Amino acid sequence: MPRRQGYALLIALVAGTAALAAAVAFTGSLLFSGSRPQPVTAPDPRSVARTPAAPAHSTGLWATTWAAAPVAGGADSSDGSALHRRTIRNVVHTSIGGDAARITLSNVFGTRPLVVEHATVSSRPVTFRGAGRVTVAAGGQIVSDPVAVPVAADSDLVVTLRTPTAEGPVTLHGRSHQTSYVDTAWGTRRTEDWRYLTAVDVHTRTAAGTIAVIGDSLTAGTGSTLDTNSRWPDVLADRLHGRYGVANAGIAGNRILRDGSGVRAGARFDRDVLDIAGVKTVVIALGINDVQQSPQETDPQRIADALRSLTQRAHADGLRVVGATLMPYEGYRTWTPARDAVREQVNALIRTGGIFDHVIDFDAAARDPHRPTRLHPAWDSGDHLHLNDAGYRLLGSLADLTELAPEQPGSDQL
């Protein structure tokens, strides 16, 4: 299904999830997980491990079709009312399809146990080691049992979670550029936060794995149009035609060397990138916030060394690493000639080689040829730092697919 036709599916799914379905898919879960597991109320720490391996007695593999990096623990009372027995309908957009799904729930920023008393994927009930109700410890996460549900590539998917209390903090990814919903006794309200849900994996017989992208607001899609899936990793997923999933671990404001908006990239790299199911290649698009946010990093070598360290960690897991140069931002409120000089030096170090296996030159493609310290006006969202939809389409078109997935043909006909 083309992504721009996702609205009809979304309307249908939203209507269909008003009354949560009965447990009709548990037998499908058994198809992939073997004999019935014993119910539990707290996750075994080993259950958070992500595995790219296929289930026993089946072909194919598990690969992430969608992901969102948890950013912070937020209060869950933004409408001024107690969200008692709330139902959260997270709307996500897939990159690859499959014949079964599993979800990851995160309470990494919670200070109290998270109770989920019912969860569904496209109205199919989800279990956690056989139990429909699960408690996720503060600071923890858990991966569900597989559920036999068809998942289409390049389509909207609704993952519904019902919780009995409104206790927080709520682990969320804000500013998603996607409309989701929260149902309460006071009605339904829209939200751009993804709550508790951090990954959807699919069991696939056609995809070869997943490409994990770690970045900042330029990867998360700041400046793109709501509900159009115009982030550049979405554009990349379109080009891959379902042969590889794309997991977007972008966080607006994220940095390499310091915590800020979300924990620094080095501290979240295992959780948000290396542990992604079926990951084969890592794309790193980070560094501009270290240059432009206060306190600014003035030593380009420190930024380059931090990028190299991420590459080395990915190489230790046998992964290929592709990195991007830093785009210009003159006209943005934090721009100075001195900071721009640091950006240029970081780019020089990236282009010289030795940091990544391959480089995508975002800077060369997006800058104004008449004033290289600025974004090209055609790609500028208006704030001179973030791109518009056309700009993100440009970035998504730049990657050489033979470098991202060397074993595959080098055209858009993957």
Side-chain angles (χ1 to χ4, degrees), residues 117-349:
E117 60 183 12
H118 194 76
T120 65
V121 174
S122 295
S123 300
R124 299 283 185 90
V126 177
T127 60
F128 299 84
R129 286 188 288 147
R133 178 186 175 105
V134 68
T135 300
V136 186
Q141 68 176 29
I142 190 169
V143 181
S144 76
D145 301 331
V147 55
V149 57
V151 176
D154 191 22
S155 64
D156 287 342
L157 186 73
V158 178
V159 178
T160 302
L161 309 172
R162 189 174 69 207
T163 61
T165 67
E167 295 177 344
V170 177
T171 296
L172 56 81
H173 178 101
R175 292 182 283 176
S176 70
H177 313 290
Q178 179 87 49
T179 302
S180 293
Y181 302 87
V182 178
D183 298 333
T184 74
W186 294 269
T188 298
R189 63 182 176 87
R190 295 169 178 260
T191 178
E192 288 188 46
D193 297 340
W194 286 312
R195 289 171 164 83
Y196 302 124
L197 180 70
T198 59
V200 178
D201 304 334
V202 293
H203 180 253
T204 174
R205 294 177 173 84
T206 56
T210 292
I211 295 168
V213 184
I214 185 168
D216 46 41
S217 58
L218 293 160
T219 296
T222 299
S224 66
T225 303
L226 179 69
D227 292 330
T228 62
N229 303 296
S230 298
R231 314 162 193 88
W232 74 259
D234 296 319
V235 177
L236 174 61
D238 285 346
R239 294 179 61 208
L240 291 164
H241 297 292
R243 290 296 300 146
Y244 281 84
V246 177
N248 188 338
I251 293 178
N254 203 225
R255 303 176 65 153
I256 304 172
L257 295 170
R258 295 176 183 268
D259 293 341
S261 180
V263 298
R264 65 192 180 278
R268 67 185 184 94
F269 195 62
D270 282 12
R271 180 193 68 204
D272 295 344
V273 175
L274 300 184
D275 290 345
I276 287 294
V279 62
K280 304 294 185 184
T281 301
V282 178
V283 181
I284 300 174
L286 284 163
I288 195 64
N289 289 322
D290 295 83
V291 171
Q292 64 92 13
Q293 285 186 358
S294 182
Q296 292 82 22
E297 177 53 59
T298 60
D299 183 354
Q301 190 64 56
R302 276 176 45 83
I303 296 174
D305 289 345
L307 292 170
R308 185 179 293 105
S309 175
L310 296 182
T311 296
Q312 291 169 346
R313 289 165 63 182
H315 282 172
D317 277 10
L319 306 178
R320 183 169 180 78
V321 182
V322 175
T325 54
L326 312 185
M327 289 180 289
Y329 69 104
E330 183 182 357
Y332 191 67
R333 55 184 174 78
T334 61
W335 187 90
T336 68
R339 292 171 190 167
D340 197 60
V342 174
R343 179 187 69 86
E344 291 279 21
Q345 291 173 68
V346 172
N347 282 346
L349 291 168

